Amino acid sequence: MINELKALIFDVDGTLADNEQDGHRVAFNLAFADAGLDWSWDRDTYAILLETFGGKERLLRYMEDCQPEFDPPGGRDRFIRELHQQKTNRYQELLKNGAIPLRPGVARLLKEARAAGLVLAVASTTTAVNVTTLLSKTLGEQSVSWFDVIACGDVVTKKKPAPDIFLFALEKLGLQASSCLAIEDSESGLASAMAAGLLTVVTVNESTRHQDFTGAAIVLDQLGEPDNGFRVLAGDAGGATLVDVGFLQRVHGRAR
Ligand code: XBP
Ligand code: MG
């Protein structure tokens, strides 16, 4: 079949784990304290900063918008690079301490998809080690090898909503967009996946629930577990309550 579903390409932050406010934000604040800065991002501030994808890009935006008088020691680019590295160190500690679990249905779907012979990939804006540590810590070290491609962070210069990270993942997979599905949690992530030609299933979280998901194949509140099904926020689930391989094949099949 020409348009058979062959691969799933997962976003990470907000999709595999609900980790922005209680993970990345916390790590940024710890890094600010480590650097002797009196900066602190509360939840509302971070919700606005999340419009900017990429941790280094987010730091730059904050410095330009909120700390215009600040003169970064050692120059702006180096300062951001080092501060972001410390944020990554702090985020790694949170991951290794088990502070960041997978969202409901993620482990189940990854295992089912693998068993069904679907190819798995990641297309994320975050730093690569954050993805591999999240997978290792929650699913075991071998789970990193379940993914044919883990496309992350700075391998492309234009981050989401640009399509580049999904196009990079597709090229590495050697697959057409029409035989893949993306799973995303945010408006910018959806825009990125759609611009790469990918049909996209959206699973929202509290940070993204209010966003515009026009163009998504379907919008759900989660992937769901057998005893805790998803709620449909937009689109037609055909009575299903669980994102499993059959569900994704039907969503993919009816769109192609
Ligand atoms: C979300 C992001 C990331 C994280 C922080 O990525 O924009 O920048 O917020 O990670 P996605 P870094 O949803 O595409 O996974 O600080 O490592 O950039
Ligand atoms: Mg995301």
Side-chain angles (χ1 to χ4, degrees), residues 38-154:
D38 64 356
W39 306 349
S40 179
W41 292 351
D42 62 21
R43 298 180 89 85
D44 291 344
T45 303
Y46 195 64
I48 296 167
L49 290 170
L50 275 174
E51 290 163 11
T52 302
F53 270 57
K56 293 188 285 297
E57 291 79 357
R58 198 168 295 146
L59 284 169
L60 175 61
R61 175 184 167 188
Y62 172 75
M63 284 165 58
E64 285 179 345
D65 290 0
C66 304
Q67 305 289 348
E69 306 298 320
F70 179 69
D71 184 18
R76 191 189 72 180
D77 291 353
R78 180 172 154 201
F79 176 80
I80 288 179
R81 204 170 49 246
E82 290 178 359
L83 187 55
H84 185 257
Q85 180 57 54
Q86 183 57 12
K87 176 260 166 180
T88 300
N89 298 342
R90 288 299 207 161
Y91 185 71
Q92 289 291 308
E93 286 170 15
L94 295 175
L95 284 170
K96 287 175 183 161
N97 290 339
I100 301 170
L102 296 176
R103 292 187 65 187
V106 169
R108 174 189 56 73
L109 178 61
L110 290 174
K111 288 173 189 165
E112 288 174 6
R114 222 168 98 72
L118 289 179
V119 169
L120 301 177
V122 155
S124 169
T125 310
T126 199
T127 308
V129 68
N130 293 346
V131 178
T132 51
T133 307
L134 175 71
L135 293 172
S136 301
K137 187 68 199 172
T138 54
L139 295 166
E141 272 177 33
Q142 79 295 342
S143 64
V144 174
S145 69
W146 298 356
F147 292 81
D148 280 28
V149 172
I150 296 184
C152 280
D154 296 335

Side-chain angles (χ1 to χ4, degrees), residues 2-256:
I2 295 169
N3 285 321
E4 186 191 354
L5 178 61
K6 293 186 180 144
L8 304 178
I9 309 179
F10 288 87
D11 170 50
V12 175
D13 297 320
T15 300
L16 295 188
D18 196 357
N19 55 357
E20 286 290 5
Q21 290 284 4
D22 297 319
H24 288 296
R25 183 183 66 89
V26 173
F28 278 112
N29 284 335
L30 288 167
F32 297 155
D34 293 340
L37 298 161
D38 64 356
W39 306 349
S40 179
W41 292 351
D42 62 21
R43 298 180 89 85
D44 291 344
T45 303
Y46 195 64
I48 296 167
L49 290 170
L50 275 174
E51 290 163 11
T52 302
F53 270 57
K56 293 188 285 297
E57 291 79 357
R58 198 168 295 146
L59 284 169
L60 175 61
R61 175 184 167 188
Y62 172 75
M63 284 165 58
E64 285 179 345
D65 290 0
C66 304
Q67 305 289 348
E69 306 298 320
F70 179 69
D71 184 18
R76 191 189 72 180
D77 291 353
R78 180 172 154 201
F79 176 80
I80 288 179
R81 204 170 49 246
E82 290 178 359
L83 187 55
H84 185 257
Q85 180 57 54
Q86 183 57 12
K87 176 260 166 180
T88 300
N89 298 342
R90 288 299 207 161
Y91 185 71
Q92 289 291 308
E93 286 170 15
L94 295 175
L95 284 170
K96 287 175 183 161
N97 290 339
I100 301 170
L102 296 176
R103 292 187 65 187
V106 169
R108 174 189 56 73
L109 178 61
L110 290 174
K111 288 173 189 165
E112 288 174 6
R114 222 168 98 72
L118 289 179
V119 169
L120 301 177
V122 155
S124 169
T125 310
T126 199
T127 308
V129 68
N130 293 346
V131 178
T132 51
T133 307
L134 175 71
L135 293 172
S136 301
K137 187 68 199 172
T138 54
L139 295 166
E141 272 177 33
Q142 79 295 342
S143 64
V144 174
S145 69
W146 298 356
F147 292 81
D148 280 28
V149 172
I150 296 184
C152 280
D154 296 335
V155 295
V156 293
T157 43
K158 281 193 269 162
K159 295 191 172 173
K160 298 174 187 177
D164 302 34
I165 194 73
F166 281 103
L167 291 173
F168 179 90
L170 285 169
E171 193 194 323
K172 292 279 172 206
L173 287 170
L175 291 173
Q176 300 289 321
S178 59
S179 54
C180 305
L181 255 181
I183 323 264
E184 268 286 355
D185 73 302
S186 70
E187 182 177 344
S188 290
L190 171 65
S192 171
M194 282 174 49
L198 286 156
L199 189 69
T200 307
V201 170
V202 172
T203 55
V204 303
N205 54 58
E206 279 314 306
S207 302
T208 64
R209 187 174 290 271
H210 60 282
Q211 295 178 350
D212 180 359
F213 295 114
T214 306
I218 193 159
V219 184
L220 309 168
D221 70 336
Q222 56 165 322
L223 295 174
E225 294 287 17
D227 59 351
N228 177 25
F230 60 59
R231 279 201 312 117
V232 183
L233 305 180
D236 179 9
T241 58
L242 201 61
V243 176
D244 56 17
V245 172
F247 175 85
L248 293 176
Q249 284 168 333
R250 288 195 296 282
V251 168
H252 181 257
R254 77 182 177 203
R256 297 291 166 190

